[in-house]
């Protein structure tokens, strides 16, 4: 099911309407790229493999299209755009899986082989280990055009 970006365009134009002249709009959101699931331990890290972050790709595409449309319409001027990693940490693989089931179940796909490898690595390295998921984010700022 594709998402229609027209509702997003409407929201961005409403944001433009209420912003003061030269006011800033910030776009902060995760990027639907595969994420690294790592087991961290005292001496270093090992990657359990990659987590599929693509379930929300339609939403990301619609957001990109909406931003492109309001830029074309002259509502905003892009000031800056960058990507950065944000890290989520858990004390156990079980805790990570519970958190994902409760909050992110529709946002990620973790294959069973990735989960099993994470459990194996977590058991292998028992010195102050953590589970880390690195997700790439987009941060952009736009200035209201008059």
């Amino acid at each position: 099911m594709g998402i229609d970006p027209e509702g997003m365009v409407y929201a961005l134009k409403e944001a433009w309407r209420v912003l003061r002249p030269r006011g800033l709009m910030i776009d902060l959101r995760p990027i639907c790229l595969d994420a690294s699931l790592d087991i961290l331990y005292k001496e270093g890290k090992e990657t359990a493999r990659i987590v599929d972050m693509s379930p929300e790709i339609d939403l990301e595409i619609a957001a990109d299209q909406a931003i492109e449309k309001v830029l074309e319409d002259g509502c905003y001027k892009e000031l800056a755009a960058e990507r950065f990693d944000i890290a989520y940490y858990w004390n156990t693989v079980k805790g990570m899986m519970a958190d994902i089931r409760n909050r992110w179940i529709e946002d990620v796909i973790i294959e069973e082989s990735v989960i099993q490898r994470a459990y194996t690595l977590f058991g292998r390295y028992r010195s102050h280990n953590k589970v880390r998921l690195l997700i790439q984010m987009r941060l952009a700022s736009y200035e209201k055009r008059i």
Side-chain angles (χ1 to χ4, degrees):
M1 169 186 98
I3 296 170
D4 181 5
E6 286 307 310
M8 291 180 185
V9 170
Y10 176 79
L12 292 171
K13 287 186 175 183
E14 277 297 295
W16 177 89
R17 186 180 65 76
V18 299
L19 277 173
R20 69 178 194 200
R22 299 180 49 114
L24 294 180
M25 178 185 68
I26 304 296
D27 177 14
L28 175 64
R29 57 189 153 104
I31 299 172
C32 294
L33 295 175
D34 292 341
S36 176
L37 177 60
D38 303 316
I39 304 301
L40 307 176
Y41 52 96
K42 188 175 182 180
E43 298 81 20
K45 75 170 177 108
E46 269 201 64
T47 299
R49 293 205 180 92
I50 299 299
V51 173
D52 181 356
M53 303 296 290
S54 68
E56 296 287 322
I57 192 72
D58 289 344
L59 187 59
E60 181 176 330
I61 291 168
D64 288 343
Q65 290 171 346
I67 291 285
E68 189 176 307
K69 174 74 171 125
V70 296
L71 289 174
E72 285 173 7
D73 290 350
C75 297
Y76 297 95
K77 175 178 107 176
E78 184 176 79
L79 299 177
E82 62 183 73
R83 293 180 176 190
F84 64 94
D85 288 333
I86 188 167
Y88 290 89
Y89 293 92
W90 295 271
N91 292 323
T92 64
V93 177
K94 185 177 179 178
M96 176 198 69
M97 292 306 299
D99 198 28
I100 287 173
R101 274 192 296 277
N102 290 334
R103 297 179 12 187
W104 297 356
I105 195 67
E106 295 177 3
D107 300 335
V108 301
I109 299 170
I110 304 180
E111 294 179 11
E112 188 60 35
S113 63
V114 175
I115 298 167
Q116 290 308 315
R117 178 155 168 79
Y119 273 113
T120 299
L121 292 174
F122 195 82
R124 183 181 305 158
Y125 302 107
R126 295 197 175 269
S127 60
H128 304 93
N129 51 0
K130 296 273 186 196
V131 180
R132 177 181 73 187
L133 185 62
L134 278 179
I135 297 174
Q136 218 176 73
M137 301 288 288
R138 170 186 166 75
L139 174 62
S141 60
Y142 302 91
E143 181 180 76
K144 176 182 178 175
R145 287 193 156 171
I146 303 170

